[in-house]
Amino acid sequence: MSGASGVDHLTDRHPSVTPERLVAGLVPPPTFADVSFDSYRPDQSEPSQTDAVQSCRAFCEQAVQRRAGKKKLFGKREVLSGVGVYLDGGFGVGKTHLLASSYYALAAADAGPAAFATFGELTQLAGVFGFVECIELLSDYVVVCIDEFELDDPGNTTLISRLLSALVERGVSIAATSNTLPEQLGEGRFAAQDFLREINTLANIFTTVRIEGPDYRHRDLPPAPVPPSDDEVRAEAADVAGATLDDFDALCSHLATMHPSRYHALIEGVTEVFITGVHPLDDQSVALRLVSLTDRLYDAGIPVVASGTKLDTVFSDEMLDGGFRKKYLRATSRLLALTAAGGH
């Protein structure tokens, strides 16, 4: 739907996501549609990046072997437990590139279907299908790749711990990325000590691979630029086919009307996102929804042009000092990269 300016608005979109669409969406996002281990370019000054490629290749080989099982008498095969790899590191060191490369390598190995989902999408999948049904749905997969592994509340901690444990027992291997070591998941966000058993179960599934290095998105990039004016944003949006134009507060309010798993559908078909009146946030719930939208925009490679405050000041110092610090820093990094792609 177009407004008076003739430009579409995200706030006019009310997407729905069917179970079938959720399953069909278990693939890497468009930004990582053509990646491979060979296309990963490790920083030669960071040996851990080259080591990580080898670790992921070895993981894929083990995952195929575990999925095939162990041959027993009379031609039957014993189900072997899956293996796990956990890519830990800062922002922009290529973790998602390697995760998607693992997905493609295993999908091509003909050992079973492969799944790729963000942590939020995986919890939504379990919510839509039910816990037992979700296990049945994924139990024949060779691998489940989980990007942006986060544990934001006790319910998710218990749910994902039990889900992954059940899948591993059935021969499914698990690959994940995060900015937090498995045994530190949940720190600073809730009473993690009350859920140590679940967190330790998750940690025991994975072999942790640490990837060091600077954020590649910021290589040769200047600091956050001075934003354009509201009028400049509106004028530019009117000249871009497939663009959307929204007021920041109105967009943040609209995001609250739907589950973050729908944000992917919300931006489907959009070529560029224009936002007016950006300002620092003081509500954690609003900020976390903006993080989710930013992740989906980044996955889809959709440029952003925004007026108002600089995008590296949207999340307050108080928020950055809290338990979601890494989420906010990742979102800031991605927003700046998308803004650079938008030409501002």
Side-chain angles (χ1 to χ4, degrees), residues 71-77:
K71 195 168 185 179
K72 299 172 66 177
L73 294 175
F74 310 112
K76 294 183 178 180
R77 288 189 177 274

Side-chain angles (χ1 to χ4, degrees), residues 28-44:
T31 303
F32 300 96
D34 300 312
V35 301
S36 67
F37 291 130
D38 290 337
S39 68
Y40 181 78
R41 295 290 178 262
D43 186 333
Q44 296 306 311

Side-chain angles (χ1 to χ4, degrees), residues 106-330:
L106 286 167
D110 199 28
F116 187 107
T118 65
F119 181 81
E121 289 167 343
L122 185 63
T123 56
Q124 175 70 354
L125 193 73
V128 169
F129 284 95
F131 180 75
V132 174
E133 291 79 2
C134 192
I135 293 173
E136 292 302 316
L137 173 70
L138 297 174
S139 61
D140 290 330
Y141 281 58
V142 61
V143 68
V144 173
C145 299
I146 309 168
D147 201 17
E148 303 159 14
F149 204 108
E150 303 278 1
L151 293 181
D152 295 341
D153 62 61
N156 282 347
T157 303
T158 302
L159 172 69
I160 297 304
S161 172
R162 293 176 181 172
L163 175 65
L164 297 186
S165 296
L167 290 175
V168 168
E169 288 176 2
R170 287 163 173 76
V172 182
S173 293
I174 310 294
T177 71
S178 184
N179 306 116
T180 306
L181 291 171
E183 63 271 16
Q184 295 173 329
L185 286 168
E187 269 188 15
R189 301 175 193 177
F190 57 87
Q193 65 272 15
D194 295 338
F195 298 88
L196 280 177
R197 181 173 63 85
E198 284 82 0
I199 293 173
N200 287 335
T201 297
L202 286 173
N204 291 334
I205 289 173
F206 297 111
T207 296
T208 300
V209 176
R210 178 71 185 176
I211 309 176
E212 305 287 352
D215 187 339
Y216 79 91
R217 290 185 288 265
H218 291 175
R219 292 174 194 167
D220 304 320
L221 272 183
V226 175
S229 68
D230 288 354
D231 287 341
E232 287 172 329
V233 170
R234 295 187 188 101
E236 188 173 343
D239 290 335
V240 178
T244 59
L245 172 65
D246 291 275
D247 169 75
F248 184 64
D249 284 332
L251 178 59
C252 289
S253 296
H254 187 57
L255 295 178
T257 67
M258 67 191 77
H259 190 278
S261 63
R262 297 186 183 184
Y263 293 177
H264 182 271
L266 178 70
I267 61 173
E268 191 170 45
V270 175
T271 60
E272 195 160 355
V273 168
F274 292 82
I275 306 172
T276 58
V278 173
H279 60 80
L281 296 171
D282 55 14
D283 186 308
Q284 191 112 265
S285 297
V286 176
L288 290 172
R289 286 190 286 267
L290 181 62
V291 168
S292 295
L293 177 64
T294 299
D295 287 338
R296 301 293 74 76
L297 289 170
Y298 183 78
D299 286 343
I302 299 174
V304 173
V305 178
S307 63
T309 190
K310 290 185 178 181
L311 291 177
D312 58 357
T313 63
V314 172
F315 305 110
S316 68
D317 290 341
E318 183 179 0
M319 287 182 176
L320 292 176
D321 288 338
F324 297 105
R325 172 182 175 81
K326 292 179 179 179
K327 273 193 171 186
Y328 295 141
L329 289 176
R330 182 187 72 223

Side-chain angles (χ1 to χ4, degrees), residues 77-121:
R77 288 189 177 274
E78 176 186 358
V79 175
L80 298 177
S81 297
V83 291
V85 64
Y86 190 95
L87 305 178
D88 176 74
F91 318 107
V93 295
K95 299 188 302 295
T96 303
H97 184 130
L98 292 176
L99 185 70
S101 298
S102 300
Y103 167 91
Y104 289 121
L106 286 167
D110 199 28
F116 187 107
T118 65
F119 181 81
E121 289 167 343

Side-chain angles (χ1 to χ4, degrees), residues 34-80:
D34 300 312
V35 301
S36 67
F37 291 130
D38 290 337
S39 68
Y40 181 78
R41 295 290 178 262
D43 186 333
Q44 296 306 311
S45 64
E46 298 290 349
S48 64
Q49 295 188 10
T50 299
D51 293 343
V53 176
Q54 299 308 315
S55 295
C56 288
R57 288 184 185 274
F59 163 78
C60 290
E61 293 176 2
Q62 293 172 347
V64 171
Q65 293 169 359
R66 305 298 290 188
R67 182 75 276 183
K70 182 179 180 181
K71 195 168 185 179
K72 299 172 66 177
L73 294 175
F74 310 112
K76 294 183 178 180
R77 288 189 177 274
E78 176 186 358
V79 175
L80 298 177

